[in-house]
Amino acid sequence: MSFEYLKKLPSPEEIRKQYPITKTLAEKKAKRDQEIRHIITGQSQKFLVIIGPCSADNEDAVCDYICRLARVQEKVKDKLLLIPRIYTNKPRTTGNGYKGIVHQPDPEKKPDLLQGLIAMRKMHIRAMDESGLTAADEMLYPDNWDYVADILSYVAIGARSVEDQQHRMTVSGFDLPSGMKNPTSGDLSVMLNSVAAAQQPHRFTHRMYEVQTQGNELAHTILRGAVDQHGTAIPNYHYEDLMRLLYMYSQRDLMYPAVIIDSNHSNSNKQYEEQPRIVKEVLHSRKVNPDLHKLVKGVMIESYIESGCQKVGEHIYGKSITDPCLGWEESEQLIYEIADF
């Protein structure tokens, strides 16, 4: 075997005991979880805005950004619920490059998974404590879920993971909204199959245990665009795409049909400046069709303090070291425009 066993990592229980959340934070999370649940189920007419850096690479900058977001949340609280993106794992198409803070707490040093797991939890707790906002993260590795299960309010399953059975079954054990992205091929039936699987109970192995789940009724879809056989980006946020998804939902017996529109990735062809235009088109489609108004529950935006991106080692505070992001001024303005639409 080519595996070299380097060190045994602490269990999630050990890490959570070492870095616990307070009773106050637990109560804040429970309240936020209920608000988000009500949006997905249609009990609330508020709109979700899942917004933040492509990858959470620097604790100080991320927490600074989220505290800015919290001040905006107070101004739009009657219409919007903002969920900051604290994405601590970064999928890589070819396997190369920065894989997120869990792998590299310091992007300029070698991987250190132990310190990475601690850094992930500490950053989430600090952001929650300083801002009062609970966050979203992408579950790239199902085994990592238990390290942050008591902290997150939203989980995304990425385009490369959505067909994986372990991801689908793990989501079936969550009690919070979980967005299943369409795969990079753009096949909407694959995405909906993933939602169907996540909404069912399952028995499987998880972290050396045989476990039983009850199914996650809050599992839903995320449209993030696709890539054709020539590598060309194909957006799927247009009115016709939303109507197609609405029809496909109607052909299935799924709980709480819902979709979040990812305004970056293949929907913008990673042209981050296009995100405001894309969001406004989605809002217009939602406005002119009552059925789409019910279906589209929110948008996802990649945003940071500084616009664009940088290479690892350039040390520009609050600028993405992975995909380019919308800058703070443009992001703040976009949030107000969403609230006023």
Side-chain angles (χ1 to χ4, degrees), residues 2 56 138 151 168 171 243 267 279 287 300:
S2 63
E138 179 176 345
I151 296 174
R168 294 175 172 189
V171 171
M243 291 301 295
N267 270 331
V279 167
K287 185 175 183 178
M300 189 173 284

Side-chain angles (χ1 to χ4, degrees), residues 22 30 37-38 54 72 74 118 121 138 171 184 186 190 217 219 224 231 246 262 286 290:
T22 64
R37 166 181 280 273
H38 285 167
C54 173
V72 177
E74 186 61 26
I118 293 171
R121 187 164 175 84
E138 179 176 345
V171 171
T184 53
V190 169
E217 64 182 6
R224 50 86 71 199
L246 179 65
D262 182 345
R286 192 172 181 262

Side-chain angles (χ1 to χ4, degrees), residues 47 49 72 75-76 79-80 82 273 275-281 283-284 287 299 301 326 329-341:
F47 194 66
V49 179
V72 177
K75 298 177 183 179
V76 298
K79 295 182 178 180
L80 306 180
L82 309 183
E273 308 99 323
Q275 291 184 99
R277 179 190 61 78
I278 292 168
V279 167
K280 290 170 189 175
E281 180 177 329
L283 292 173
H284 176 74
K287 185 175 183 178
V299 290
I301 301 163
L326 203 64
E329 288 78 12
E330 301 93 334
S331 301
E332 183 179 14
Q333 180 61 32
L334 178 57
I335 293 171
Y336 295 140
E337 290 176 358
I338 295 171
D340 291 339
F341 201 90

